[in-house]
Amino acid sequence: NRTQGLGANPLHLDYVNRSHPPQLIGLLGVRQDPSGGGASLLGHLPSACEALSAASSLTLEDPVFRYWNDAGALEVGEPLEAFSILPTEDAFTRFTAKMLPHLDGTDTCLVPSAAPWSKKYALALQELHHALCQRVWEHRLAPGELLVFDQRVFAHGRQAMGPGQGELPKSKRRLLRQLYARLSRAQP
């Protein structure tokens, strides 16, 4: 129940709003959902970005997006006041579909000066989300199976858990272990 309860967890990058989010994520299957739900999802960011219209690409290069901070996060860099979705100075796309419901004309996920144009930003982000959803690989991790991916290449998420979760004892529910890693360059 830790992340987004039992429902779907939309495609996203972890620590999207930090200066140094982890590059690699590992998901280790411990138990599958006995009701058949909870497949892990990976969406290919580079090909989704290539599918964008020119107008949406330009819109998503604006450094006007914000996202909530995990106050206790360690070794993921400093919080960013604002960031662009598509790479400008960064070498990777900073995407989270979790922002979409909050691009509603307020400054919740946009810097205050961009809030009046929230519809433009929401439409561009929706276009990227749609393109990403067309490029999704899904897999139910078996116990002992490890999925490792570069979150600068793949956004990740989860399908909803199957029915009857409330009746399952915790020892029978789907369980994954997650790890973060950063690639570093070898020192001469």
Side-chain angles (χ1 to χ4, degrees), residues 47-121:
S47 62
C49 291
E50 288 175 11
L52 289 174
S53 67
S56 288
S57 291
L58 284 173
T59 297
L60 294 176
E61 288 176 1
D62 287 348
V64 297
F65 295 90
R66 306 185 315 178
Y67 200 64
W68 291 271
N69 259 323
D70 290 330
L74 301 173
E75 298 186 32
V76 290
E78 298 301 316
L80 301 174
E81 289 295 320
F83 57 90
S84 63
I85 302 295
L86 295 186
T88 52
E89 306 91 40
D90 291 330
F92 61 97
T93 301
R94 291 179 177 271
F95 175 81
T96 178
K98 296 175 185 185
M99 255 186 203
L100 284 167
H102 305 287
L103 293 172
D104 56 3
T106 66
D107 62 359
T108 305
C109 284
L110 293 172
V111 297
S113 61
W117 296 277
S118 63
K119 185 173 183 177
K120 171 179 93 163
Y121 293 108

Side-chain angles (χ1 to χ4, degrees), residues 3-177:
T3 304
Q4 301 297 322
L6 302 173
N9 191 359
L11 293 167
H12 64 280
L13 271 67
D14 287 353
Y15 300 105
V16 68
N17 65 329
R18 292 300 190 114
S19 60
H20 300 294
Q23 185 172 355
L24 299 179
I25 295 181
L27 300 175
L28 175 65
V30 178
R31 284 189 304 269
Q32 289 184 322
D33 176 5
S35 300
S40 295
L41 306 172
L42 293 180
H44 192 251
L45 286 162
S47 62
C49 291
E50 288 175 11
L52 289 174
S53 67
S56 288
S57 291
L58 284 173
T59 297
L60 294 176
E61 288 176 1
D62 287 348
V64 297
F65 295 90
R66 306 185 315 178
Y67 200 64
W68 291 271
N69 259 323
D70 290 330
L74 301 173
E75 298 186 32
V76 290
E78 298 301 316
L80 301 174
E81 289 295 320
F83 57 90
S84 63
I85 302 295
L86 295 186
T88 52
E89 306 91 40
D90 291 330
F92 61 97
T93 301
R94 291 179 177 271
F95 175 81
T96 178
K98 296 175 185 185
M99 255 186 203
L100 284 167
H102 305 287
L103 293 172
D104 56 3
T106 66
D107 62 359
T108 305
C109 284
L110 293 172
V111 297
S113 61
W117 296 277
S118 63
K119 185 173 183 177
K120 171 179 93 163
Y121 293 108
L123 289 172
L125 195 60
Q126 286 170 350
E127 184 181 334
L128 177 55
H129 185 232
H130 178 75
L132 194 54
C133 288
Q134 301 302 308
R135 293 154 176 81
V136 167
W137 173 81
E138 66 181 69
H139 182 71
R140 288 183 66 222
L141 289 168
E145 197 170 15
L146 177 65
L147 172 64
V148 178
F149 59 93
D150 184 337
Q151 79 162 352
R152 295 180 184 194
V153 178
F154 295 98
H156 66 285
R158 179 195 71 223
Q159 288 181 336
M161 299 299 169
Q165 297 295 313
E167 291 80 47
L168 290 173
K170 285 186 179 184
S171 63
K172 300 288 184 187
R173 294 180 187 164
R174 173 189 180 263
L175 180 63
L176 296 181
R177 299 283 184 213

